[in-house]
Each structure stands twice: as structure tokens, then as C-alpha cells.
Amino acid sequence: MTRMTTRAVLIVAAFAAAVSVSVTATPASAQALPTCTHKYQYLPATSSGSWSCVLSTGNQGNGVRALQESLRGCYQRNIAIDGAFGPATRQALLQVQNSVGAATDGIYGPETRRKMKWLTASGCSYRS
């Protein structure tokens, strides 16, 4: 192989690897939804009050806080309620997703919302 051919093969391989990683990083259904930035009726929500939103590692705010409150209050996960979606929140979410039969991907979205219980003023209950 010539030097030029070797270099071209390496460039194509690097590009293919980069495309592969970016395509598999987040499910397409989650990419289309906005981030939960607020809390509405005890659940993570958008600024307009919609529950159709997502949370994942790196997110911060009242939406994350709402998720943490229910993970801790309804599922006894020993995590801080600090509004920061870090490794402990992700691990707690993975455990709850697994226990409720939701996709175990560490990303909070509509399926997880429908399947988990939420901490409310009257205790833990399901919300659709």
C-alpha cells in the first residue's frame, strides 16, 4: 500500500467510527423531545408544562430535582436531591427503569414517566 492509500484508509476508518458513535449515542425518539427544565404537578416538565421531555446525564434544574424526589421517595434510592443529573442519578434511574420494565438506558423520557411512580402530596402514584 502506498502512503497516500494508507492515509485515505485511516481517514475513512476514523470518519466511520465517529459517525457510528454519534448515531448510537441517543435514541432518535429522545432526540426529538425537549429537555425537562421545570417541575409541573410533581413531574419533570418543559417550561410550558408539557411532560413530553427528556433528561439525561449533565442536565440540571427543577426537572432533574422532580425526578430525584421520586427516585428517592418512591423507590428508596439513596441519592442527593440537588437538581444535577450525575452518575448517582443515572444509576438510580437505571435501577428503577429495570424494575418497572422500561427501556434501561439511563435516559428519562415518556416511557419511563408512564411506568414509574411519582411522589405527590398524597404519596407515590402513577401518572400517565
Side-chain angles (χ1 to χ4, degrees):
M1 235 193 255
T2 67
R3 221 175 180 180
M4 184 87 129
T5 306
T6 302
R7 185 173 178 197
V9 168
L10 290 174
I11 290 171
V12 169
F15 178 74
V19 169
S20 172
V21 169
S22 66
V23 169
T24 59
T26 305
S29 60
Q31 290 177 1
L33 295 174
T35 301
C36 307
T37 55
H38 290 70
K39 178 179 175 179
Y40 179 68
Q41 296 180 349
Y42 305 102
L43 276 71
T46 63
S47 59
S48 64
S50 170
W51 292 336
S52 288
C53 53
V54 294
L55 289 169
S56 61
T57 302
N59 291 138
Q60 296 184 4
N62 287 330
V64 176
R65 187 177 305 277
L67 175 62
Q68 291 170 331
E69 288 169 348
S70 289
L71 291 172
R72 187 171 177 149
C74 298
Y75 295 95
Q76 294 71 49
R77 300 296 154 212
N78 188 19
I79 58 171
I81 300 174
D82 58 6
F85 197 126
T89 299
R90 183 176 190 280
Q91 186 59 39
L93 181 60
L94 285 166
Q95 292 168 349
V96 170
Q97 286 175 324
N98 185 54
S99 73
V100 300
T104 308
D105 57 7
I107 298 170
Y108 166 82
E111 180 190 14
T112 302
R113 181 192 75 238
R114 287 188 301 271
K115 291 187 175 185
M116 69 179 276
K117 291 181 184 178
W118 293 95
L119 183 61
T120 68
S122 59
C124 295
S125 62
Y126 294 99
R127 303 292 290 264
S128 44

